[in-house]
Amino acid sequence: MTDLSAARDAAVTDRARLVGSAYNGDRDLAARQSLYQWQTPRYDLPGLVAERLGDVRGRVVDVGCGNGKFIQRLRQDRGDLFLLGLDIASGILADVPGPVAVADATRLPLATGSVDAALALHMLYHVPDIPQAVRELARIVAGDGLVIASTNSDRDKAELDDLWQRAAGDVLGIDRGPARISLSARFSLEKAPAFLGEEFSRVEVVELPGIITVHDPEPVVAHMASYRAWADQHEVPFDATVDRARTLVTDHIARHGAYEITCLGGILVCCR
């Protein structure tokens, strides 16, 4: 591992950064989530998770529940379930329908075998010790229970990676600037099955490919700006690079009528 990748891994998992800036509210997370409204096909990810929980009865915990998108949907569709939301950042829990609690994914405050399903959706890459978090998920879920995780592919949104390097290069006066940070790299769709397979005998990977097409640069700009908590990891003036990216996307849309981003995420359904 290079010094840069080690530093970025540390930044992605840094508790003070996660609690104090990245997830002290839901503005940045909501900006990343909102980009998907322009995706084709448009996946109803909360609906897909609810569907996978169709045979589950009893207690479901959403570990790293963030702004509660999945809990809200399950409250709507599955009023029979007892739902608990846990997150490391108290600030993002403000508008999540309770009960909720602040908790660390590597030391879950739940008894062994006490829940019937656990969710870990787009969050395990933020955990410093991913194998320990997976062990905790396996520990709290009853023997016939489910764990559903989600993440993005290493190839997800490659156009935005290229856009960032072009914009950063322009700001620095070189051909291509340094790569932007990847939040999901530590637990990508390619790496996740090996982590989860340590504790679960069956790990089903459901890939969700799509194309985001925008006719206005602002959703792309908002997505890129949502990484502000990691601005110091980009080795380039952050605001200036975001502004340059806006200009590049605006010019692209003027020439081609739209800006397209290739997406690949997925969910992983785990059982013993």
Side-chain angles (χ1 to χ4, degrees):
M1 180 182 289
T2 66
D3 289 345
L4 175 60
S5 60
R8 289 187 164 182
D9 281 358
V12 167
T13 61
D14 178 60
R15 183 174 186 141
R17 191 187 303 252
L18 296 175
V19 172
S21 56
Y23 298 105
N24 64 341
D26 88 328
R27 182 195 64 187
D28 290 340
L29 177 58
R32 289 195 289 277
Q33 291 169 334
S34 69
L35 189 62
Y36 292 97
Q37 66 188 284
W38 289 279
Q39 179 174 295
T40 306
R42 188 168 175 189
Y43 299 102
D44 175 13
L45 194 53
L48 290 174
V49 170
E51 185 180 303
R52 289 290 179 152
L53 295 174
D55 294 332
V56 172
R57 301 289 180 268
R59 293 184 283 278
V60 177
V61 60
D62 187 350
V63 179
C65 66
N67 55 8
K69 295 291 185 189
F70 294 90
I71 287 179
Q72 289 167 12
R73 180 58 172 273
L74 288 171
R75 288 211 180 285
Q76 174 187 312
D77 291 1
R78 292 292 309 277
D80 59 304
L81 295 173
F82 175 80
L83 300 168
L84 172 64
L86 302 176
D87 204 278
I88 198 173
S90 60
I92 207 166
L93 293 172
D95 297 318
V96 180
V100 297
V102 174
D104 186 324
T106 62
R107 296 189 303 276
L108 293 172
L110 297 167
T112 298
S114 63
V115 302
D116 301 284
L119 310 179
L121 304 168
H122 278 78
M123 54 73 62
L124 281 168
Y125 39 73
H126 284 311
V127 179
D129 189 342
I130 294 172
Q132 173 59 21
V134 173
R135 285 192 290 271
E136 278 290 270
L137 291 168
R139 179 186 66 78
I140 65 170
V141 172
D144 59 349
L146 284 181
V147 167
I148 303 177
S150 66
T151 188
N152 292 325
S153 166
D154 289 326
R155 306 189 305 279
D156 180 63
K157 301 184 189 70
E159 293 85 355
L160 294 190
D161 295 331
D162 179 67
L163 173 64
W164 181 269
Q165 289 189 280
R166 288 175 58 209
D170 288 350
V171 167
L172 296 174
I174 58 178
D175 182 42
R176 289 177 72 78
R180 70 180 188 139
I181 196 168
S182 169
L183 298 186
S184 55
R186 299 176 62 250
F187 184 80
S188 65
L189 204 56
E190 290 78 11
K191 298 183 181 81
F195 281 115
L196 296 165
E198 289 296 316
E199 296 293 329
F200 299 97
S201 61
R202 244 183 55 220
V203 178
E204 178 190 356
V205 180
V206 182
E207 292 191 351
L208 303 171
I211 303 287
I212 289 170
T213 305
V214 297
H215 302 277
D216 181 310
E218 290 313 311
V220 174
V221 173
H223 186 279
M224 299 190 101
S226 76
Y227 286 76
R228 183 174 304 280
W230 294 278
D232 62 308
Q233 295 297 311
H234 289 88
E235 301 179 357
V236 67
F238 186 79
D239 290 324
T241 303
V242 171
D243 286 343
R244 180 57 185 160
R246 175 188 281 110
T247 299
L248 291 172
V249 175
T250 300
D251 291 348
H252 184 98
I253 292 171
R255 289 197 310 274
H256 303 284
Y259 187 83
E260 291 189 344
I261 303 161
T262 308
C263 296
L264 180 56
I267 61 174
L268 303 104
V269 184
C270 313
C271 56
R272 288 187 176 85

